[in-house]
Structures are given as C-alpha cells and as structure tokens.
Amino acid sequence: MRHLVCWPTEVDRSPLLIGAASVDYATFVERKVANVNGKDVEGAEPKKLKYPRSIPFIISNEFCERFNYYGMRTILVLYLTRKLDYDDDTATVLYHSFTTLVYFMCVIGAIISDSWLGKFKTILYLSIVYVCGSSLIAIGAIPTLDVDARAMTIVGLLLIAIGSGGIKPCVAAFGGEQFKMPEQAKYLALFFSMFYFAVNSGSFVSTMITPILREDVKCFDSDDCFSLAFGVPGILMVVSIIIFLLGKPLYKITAPAGNMFMKVSKCIWTAIRTRSKEKTVNPRDHWLDYSEKRWGQQLVDETRILLNVLRLYIPLPVFWALFDQQGSRWTFQATRMDGDLGFWTIKPDQMQVINPLLILIFIPLYEVAFYPLLSLIGIRRPLQKLTLGGIFAGIAFVISTIVEIQLEDTYAVIPSAGESQLRIFNGMACDYTVQTDVPNHANFVLKSMEMFEEKYISVNGVKSFTYTFSSETAGCAGFNGQFQLEEYKQISYLVQNRAGTPGLLSYEDNTEKSSKGYPLFRVLGNTAEDRPYAFKDLEADPPYDRHSNTTYTDDLVESYPSLYEISVDGKKVMEYYMRLGGVYAFIISETDNEIKAEVLIVTEPNSISMLWLIPQYVVMTLGEVMYSITGLEFSFTQAPESMKSVLQGCWQLTVAVGNLIVVIVAEAKIFEAQKWEFVLFACLMFVDMAIFSVLAYYYKPIPIKSYEDEDDANTTLPIEDRKEERGLENPTFTKSE
C-alpha cells in the first residue's frame, strides 16, 4: 500500500506536489532522524507531537474542490452539445482544450506560489477566480436569462482552468508543510492517505450526483437542469474557501522560497546561449557545462540528470490523449447506447464513475496480487510495468473500436457521393401496387400505414424516376408522376388525399440520430383537415402534454424518452414508448371520421447496453494505475532530490500535451466514422510504446553525486555566491577584525 502514501492520486491524474518548496514526503516517511545534542543521529526515535489541527480544514477543502472540478467536467460535453448546440467534434475540442489549460496552469501556479505569493495566498486568490468561473457557467445555463450562454461558458472554463490548475500543485504541498519533520513522519503518511481519499471520494460522489441533478431534476420548463448540476458543485467551491479561511489561525504559513523550475530553465537557457559564443574557444564535455560558471556545478549536474530522465517522457503524452477521452469520446459513445437496466437507467455521463471506483479497488489488488503475478512472467522492472500500462490503454481503445463497430448497425445510413435515398409512407387506408423505374424495385406493394425504403440509389446531381400507383380497393384512385431524387439527400413522400384526390406530399428527410441522444419524431397526417394532436408524457409527475400542434408538419421534433399517450382532436389513438436514439414517424389517417395511428421506426433506437462499455473502462484503469504510479515512482528515484518538484511539473505538462493531441485530431476531422479515430489512437499508443521500449532499453541512469564532502564546495555554487580568489576580495588581502 506504499503507493497510496508516497505517490500521487490517480483520479486526480496529477502529482500532488510541485515547486521548489514542495514537500518530498516519500523521503520524510522513510527517514528516521532525531536531533540529539544538536546533531542528527540515524535511527533515533523522533519526539512525538500532536497531529496538526489544521489538517481537517485542508482535507475538507480538497474534497469540496475536487467535487466541483469533476462534477462540472462530468457533464460538460453533454452541456456543450445538448444546450449550446456544438457538434461532437467541437465539444471534444473545447473539453480537451480546457483540460490542456488546467494542467499547463499547474506549472504557472507552482511558479506563482514558490516565487511570489506563497501557497496560502495562491490557494485563496485562485480559489476566488475558480468560484467566479463556476458561477458564470451555472448562470449561463439558466435558460430564462437573456445572456450569451456560449460566451459565459468559455470565459467560465477559462477562469476554472486558471483556478483549478493554479491551486492543484499547492494544496497537498501546503498540507505537508503543516508537519514538523522528522518528528511527525508517520502523521504525514496518514495525511497523504487522507488526502488521496478526499480526492477520490470527491470525484466519485460528484460523478454520481451531477448527472442525476442534470437529468432527473426539471427546472425552468426544461426536461433537465444543467444550471443546478453546475450550481451545486459551484456552491461546494464556495464552501471550500470558507473552510480554508476558517483554518487560517492554525496554519503554518511559510514565505516563498524560490522556484526550481525557473532555475532549471535559466540554467538551460544560459548553456544554450553561452555555447553558441564559446563553443570553439572554450569546448566542454557536455553542452550544459557552459552554464557552470553562472549557476554552479551542482545545478548543472542535476539538470543533466533531469534531462536524461525526461527523454523517457517524450512518448508519455500519448497515454493521456487516450485516457482523458473517457470524458469526451467515450461519453458520446455512451449517448448512443441503452442505459436501461430495468430497475435503474444509467446516464451516459455516469459511466465515468467507473474509473475512480476501480482505482480504489485496483491499487491494493496490484500490491497483493497483480504485481506478484506479473513477476512470475518476468515483468518486474518499473519501465516494463509502465510499457505494459500503455499497452493496456491501447487495448482499451481496441475494445472501444469493437463496441463502436457493433453500434454502427444501429446508426442511420447516410447517403454518400453518388447516392440518394427514397422513402414512401402510405397514409391511406388501402394498399397500393407501385410500378417504377427505380433500380431493383420495378414492382412492389406498399401496404396501408407502412413504409417503403431504399437506402442506396445511384444518383449524380438530380435524377427523376417515374412511378404509377394503383389500388384494387374502392375509393383509392390511382395516380402517377415522377420521384425527384438528389445526390447526398434523403427524399421522402407521404401518400395522402387531404386535397380530395390521392397524391404524394414530398419533403427532405433526415434519419440521423440526435447528437444529444434523444428520440426524434415527425407526424405525417392524412386527415380531412388539420386536427390538433398531442403527445402526453405519462411518466411525468404529473403527466402533461409535452408536444402539441394544431397543424401537421413533417419537421423533426426532439423529444424525451418516455411513454406517451398520442391523442388527435382530444381522442386517444395510441400509447407508445419512445426510446433514446430512435427516429420515428407517426402516421395519422382519417377514414369515414375514424382516426387511426401507426408508428414506424425509421432509425432503430439505442439497443446495445451501456454495460458493454465496462470492459474498456476496466482495461484503461488497469493501465492507468500501472502507467502513472510506476512512471512517477521510477522517475523520482532517478532524479536528484532538488529536481523532484521540476519533474512533477514536467509530468503535468505531459497531461497537457496529451489533451492537445486530442484537440488536433478532433479539429482535423480526418475520419467520418468514429471507429477509425479509435483505431488511430490505438495504433498510435502501440507505436508510442514501441518507441518508449527503445528509449527504455538504451536508458542509462546517471549517478547522483553528493556535494557535501567535496574538497572545494565553492565550485558548486553560482558565481554570485562564490568568494573570489584574487584582488582585495581574496581572504589573504582582507583585514581581520
């Protein structure tokens, strides 16, 4: 269970600490040193102190903040598509751009904290920015307000990214600073276990609750309540600030100590700039040695070790490109599936709760079962485990590809280049025999209240096809004419006699599923006059007419999955349950003052259970635990202690770059079918792990030197801190007091 204490939480997908002043708690937990007569003695029992009373405030603050972040992010893509009318690709771009900015801001937040404001002020000020962003999104989601919801959402996401990313590296480190080391090493271990639990529980609870608030609560005359689903997490963020401020009298607040990330950046820049000037006149063994005069040999050597480890980081962003699609592409995939379990209906965004739940299960299982089993087949070294974690991510996307292929059978067929589609709905009380020159359909029978459909008709531009309708039923006169079909389009016709004589009413059809996952329907009326119809939602409490119209229309209407009572002119004609993803046509016909209704399924509703998504979530989480924890543990053991905080910052940046990869792929719109995008990411992951394997094979650790026993420690210091050995600065020429 040491990973729970010593390394970052995996639901948070990020290191807990960053910055030069960060607490290296792995070292603290393992160290037993006490001060005896003013000297450190190994193995001595440390003096026991009480557990810091400030810690409950920090833990509670973290729970509320994580509840806000994951609650908001869980429902974000559905809000972007269902309320702001972005398409799936644009929503994916916005989602991953937001995540990229969050993790980029982790580095900025660490620099602000360690160089200027300190951790307390950074957490406080950026939390206020965070609340402002959450408030903007929640207010923009209120449909009755005359506001630009898109603009408020974008600005709100920007502020949340600045706030969440900025405080992410500070909270755990600030908590670590409340302990006196080494006397409270065991308490520190307990703190990080509690911190881990707060992060996971905040994520788990919010991922379960916010989809319920979104869909099961009705507000502002809408079928859902996104404003409440965003507002409750926002309120929790306000509570987190209040809790954080209440603990101020108990906090141990330290001044900024300078940021190692900045020092490393300056060291590298000095080496690059100096090398270009002195390469020929003052050659060095390593290009970083050119900054030794300015920054000292110790920083140069440790930066060299850092860069040696960071070479292994080059392939790492691809994993995060796959992992973070759980909240975007996989959520959209869930909207095209059936969440009805009979006793409970799973909401698409609730599938994301599988990840934090499995993490709580898998981490101890890895320690007691998985890692011992892997060692039996020769997988023992950290880089082997990390490679296997990446392979698991690729396998997860192979599984999602298989699921997507199965889902395609439930999707509408959309005409491509050189094709058109024809549908004929018979709204008459009689059967018709149809003769036409449509290929492969020279003669067919169209029965009463039924539909003819041909999805693949060769058409370039516009093309006409002749038809003749005839019937043996009395009162059903025949007629003839031409079908006008157009390339890329779906053309539909309704057989009706509303004008007194039989004929065809044409309209351009659209059988594609709703991007929001809701059912769609159209009413095709063949009545003597336009009689009012109503669709009463029988599952609403109380039931009410969700849809009504005084005239029949062929326009598609977006509905809500429920059991409906359909009535015409106040008279009930049928009951029907419209399911998620279905596209329906309701034919209403009147003969001798008798009204009949029939429903035709134009596009099949979602029929594949969301439970089929569980395998890909399981495999992805298996990969995440192995990839992230092992990767950080390995790189931390290879880096000098002064560079551990810089390494965490670089880890955050790999997450940011990974999300940027998704943005680029989604924006490029390379593939029309989602399955090919999944294939691309799976292949990219496998190739990426092959590259990583090569880098790992040739990786050679650089020994970490100790500078404490150097004969001339003066040479390890930056030039401004050294004592010059010439002129009046030399001790030989200095007067003694």
Side-chain angles (χ1 to χ4, degrees):
M1 294 291 290
R2 67 182 183 276
H3 296 306
L4 287 175
V5 176
C6 299
W7 302 114
T9 140
E10 290 314 300
V11 169
D12 199 27
R13 264 83 78 182
S14 64
L16 297 174
L17 309 176
I18 185 174
S22 299
V23 182
D24 183 6
Y25 53 93
T27 303
F28 284 153
V29 172
E30 296 172 0
R31 185 189 300 164
K32 276 191 174 184
V33 180
N35 188 278
V36 180
N37 296 326
K39 296 181 180 180
D40 289 339
V41 179
E42 295 289 339
E45 286 298 325
K47 179 183 177 181
K48 292 185 178 180
L49 298 174
K50 291 183 179 180
Y51 198 86
R53 291 185 298 164
S54 59
I55 294 304
F57 295 94
I58 296 174
I59 295 294
S60 301
N61 167 271
E62 182 65 12
F63 173 85
C64 294
E65 189 276 326
R66 290 291 88 186
F67 185 103
N68 183 21
Y69 179 76
Y70 284 106
M72 179 278 301
R73 210 173 75 153
T74 296
I75 62 175
L76 179 58
V77 292
L78 296 185
Y79 176 66
L80 294 174
T81 53
R82 294 185 177 183
K83 294 300 179 181
L84 302 187
D85 294 325
Y86 289 109
D87 59 39
D88 288 2
D89 288 335
T90 305
T92 299
V93 168
L94 290 173
Y95 177 89
H96 289 282
S97 297
F98 164 72
T99 308
T100 298
L101 186 57
V102 168
Y103 284 94
F104 177 77
M105 281 303 303
C106 290
V107 177
I108 306 300
I111 294 173
I112 293 173
S113 169
D114 290 348
S115 301
W116 296 298
L117 294 180
K119 293 181 179 61
F120 176 81
K121 289 184 178 179
T122 301
I123 295 171
L124 178 60
Y125 295 161
L126 292 184
S127 292
I128 294 173
V129 174
Y130 199 154
V131 168
C132 292
S134 298
S135 301
L136 282 177
I137 294 180
I139 293 172
I142 299 176
T144 56
L145 297 181
D146 188 17
V147 296
D148 188 341
R150 284 192 171 190
M152 293 186 71
T153 300
I154 299 301
V155 174
L157 289 175
L158 177 63
L159 294 178
I160 291 175
I162 294 172
S164 176
I167 68 176
K168 186 188 291 288
C170 302
V171 180
F174 183 68
E177 289 177 351
Q178 307 306 306
F179 296 85
K180 184 178 180 180
M181 302 308 299
E183 290 88 344
Q184 294 180 306
K186 290 185 178 180
Y187 289 156
L188 183 66
L190 177 61
F191 163 71
F192 282 107
S193 293
M194 293 170 60
F195 192 92
Y196 173 88
F197 181 80
V199 169
N200 281 272
S201 58
S203 170
F204 178 81
V205 174
S206 65
T207 306
M208 282 295 296
I209 290 178
T210 51
I212 294 174
L213 297 176
R214 170 189 65 78
E215 184 162 315
D216 292 350
V217 178
K218 316 299 180 185
C219 63
F220 304 108
D221 296 325
S222 296
D223 293 323
D224 47 32
C225 198
F226 276 97
S227 54
L228 180 65
F230 285 126
V232 169
I235 292 172
L236 264 290
M237 192 62 212
V238 175
V239 173
S240 76
I241 296 178
I242 295 173
I243 293 174
F244 186 67
L245 286 174
L246 288 175
K248 184 179 180 182
L250 304 175
Y251 295 146
K252 182 191 300 181
I253 300 176
T254 58
N259 190 276
M260 184 58 69
F261 196 98
M262 296 295 290
K263 292 181 180 179
V264 169
S265 301
K266 290 178 180 179
C267 178
I268 294 173
W269 172 246
T270 300
I272 294 173
R273 188 178 58 184
T274 307
R275 182 174 182 268
S276 63
K277 299 177 182 178
E278 301 182 6
K279 183 177 181 180
T280 55
V281 297
N282 188 18
R284 301 294 183 95
D285 293 336
H286 192 276
W287 64 273
L288 275 173
D289 290 334
Y290 287 97
S291 63
E292 183 270 336
K293 183 178 180 181
R294 174 69 176 82
W295 294 103
Q297 191 61 47
Q298 180 175 349
L299 182 61
V300 169
D301 289 346
E302 293 183 347
T303 302
R304 183 183 305 159
I305 296 172
L306 175 73
L307 294 180
N308 187 50
V309 176
L310 288 183
R311 280 194 302 177
L312 294 173
Y313 274 38
I314 295 173
L316 298 189
V318 177
F319 174 87
W320 302 114
L322 276 67
F323 178 83
D324 276 333
Q325 290 188 61
Q326 292 178 90
S328 56
R329 293 302 197 194
W330 283 12
T331 298
F332 288 136
Q333 193 175 40
T335 64
R336 300 188 288 271
M337 304 180 76
D338 185 9
D340 187 8
L341 302 181
F343 60 92
W344 182 51
T345 300
I346 308 172
K347 296 162 181 61
D349 36 359
Q350 278 184 325
M351 292 301 297
Q352 298 176 56
V353 80
I354 296 175
N355 180 256
L357 179 63
L358 289 178
I359 282 175
L360 295 173
I361 298 172
F362 284 163
I363 288 184
L365 278 179
Y366 262 106
E367 293 297 326
V368 300
F370 295 160
Y371 283 138
L373 289 174
L374 289 174
S375 66
L376 295 177
I377 58 175
I379 299 178
R380 302 182 182 89
R381 295 189 296 273
L383 294 183
Q384 291 177 315
K385 297 175 183 177
L386 196 150
T387 304
L388 183 58
I391 292 173
F392 275 145
I395 293 173
F397 265 67
V398 171
I399 297 173
S400 66
T401 302
I402 295 172
V403 172
E404 186 66 25
I405 291 173
Q406 299 303 311
L407 285 175
E408 283 188 343
D409 291 338
T410 68
Y411 296 167
V413 176
I414 307 301
S416 56
E419 290 182 345
S420 181
Q421 292 183 359
L422 172 65
R423 289 177 184 84
I424 310 171
F425 298 89
N426 187 359
M428 301 288 287
C430 51
D431 299 342
Y432 275 100
T433 299
V434 183
Q435 293 178 318
T436 177
D437 56 355
V438 174
N440 303 318
H441 296 285
N443 195 307
F444 62 89
V445 175
L446 180 60
K447 293 187 177 182
S448 173
M449 309 294 277
E450 291 190 3
M451 171 186 70
F452 164 84
E453 180 179 55
E454 176 53 66
K455 300 177 181 178
Y456 306 97
I457 301 177
S458 180
V459 173
N460 291 305
V462 179
K463 190 173 182 180
S464 298
F465 297 91
T466 61
Y467 63 79
T468 300
F469 281 70
S470 59
S471 176
E472 297 179 356
T473 305
C476 291
F479 56 92
N480 56 62
Q482 290 185 332
F483 298 124
Q484 298 290 331
L485 304 185
E486 188 173 345
E487 187 178 12
Y488 293 108
K489 292 187 177 182
Q490 305 174 62
I491 307 299
S492 292
Y493 293 88
L494 171 65
V495 185
Q496 48 84 37
N497 63 346
R498 297 175 69 182
T501 57
L504 296 182
L505 173 67
S506 67
Y507 61 92
E508 184 177 340
D509 213 337
N510 181 11
T511 62
E512 195 167 9
K513 289 176 180 279
S514 167
S515 62
K516 301 177 182 180
Y518 291 144
L520 297 169
F521 74 90
R522 68 175 78 245
V523 176
L524 302 174
N526 181 30
T527 59
E529 57 185 45
D530 291 338
R531 298 183 182 275
Y533 70 83
F535 282 63
K536 177 181 288 186
D537 188 342
L538 298 180
E539 294 187 345
D541 187 19
Y544 71 101
D545 289 346
R546 182 180 293 275
H547 309 288
S548 59
N549 206 330
T550 57
T551 58
Y552 295 110
T553 173
D554 53 61
D555 289 338
L556 275 172
V557 178
E558 188 172 73
S559 188
Y560 191 81
S562 187
L563 176 63
Y564 290 93
E565 176 187 282
I566 295 95
S567 60
V568 178
D569 208 7
K571 297 179 181 179
K572 175 182 174 181
V573 292
M574 68 182 305
E575 287 185 4
Y576 192 80
Y577 195 100
M578 285 194 284
R579 296 169 56 193
L580 284 170
V583 180
Y584 305 92
F586 288 89
I587 302 178
I588 298 177
S589 177
E590 182 178 12
T591 304
D592 297 329
N593 294 323
E594 180 185 357
I595 297 178
K596 297 171 57 179
E598 188 66 50
V599 59
L600 300 175
I601 300 175
V602 182
T603 301
E604 290 292 330
N606 300 346
S607 56
I608 297 178
S609 174
M610 282 187 199
L611 296 181
W612 285 106
L613 292 176
I614 292 178
Q616 63 198 56
Y617 276 96
V618 171
V619 175
M620 179 62 80
T621 307
L622 283 170
E624 177 198 4
V625 175
M626 187 178 295
Y627 187 93
S628 186
I629 292 181
T630 306
L632 268 177
E633 183 172 3
F634 168 78
S635 51
F636 267 53
T637 59
Q638 302 298 300
E641 188 164 332
S642 65
M643 294 294 161
K644 296 185 190 299
S645 60
V646 181
L647 201 63
Q648 293 182 59
C650 295
W651 184 268
Q652 305 279 12
L653 290 178
T654 65
V655 182
V657 174
N659 280 269
L660 188 59
I661 292 172
V662 182
V663 171
I664 294 171
V665 172
E667 190 66 26
K669 298 180 180 179
I670 305 172
F671 308 109
E672 291 186 5
Q674 182 60 54
K675 64 181 178 182
W676 298 118
E677 187 174 297
F678 286 156
V679 169
L680 171 66
F681 278 110
C683 293
L684 189 62
M685 190 72 244
F686 293 136
V687 172
D688 186 67
M689 285 299 97
I691 295 172
F692 180 82
S693 299
V694 174
L695 292 175
Y697 180 80
Y698 288 102
Y699 171 77
K700 293 182 179 180
I702 299 174
I704 301 174
K705 295 173 61 177
S706 174
Y707 294 88
E708 295 177 359
D709 300 325
E710 291 284 344
D711 293 333
D712 185 12
N714 187 53
T715 60
T716 68
L717 299 173
I719 191 170
E720 63 266 22
D721 296 333
R722 298 181 197 172
K723 293 182 179 180
E724 296 292 338
E725 298 181 358
R726 61 181 183 275
L728 297 178
E729 302 261 341
N730 192 298
T732 307
F733 299 96
T734 304
K735 285 186 178 182
S736 59
E737 293 289 339

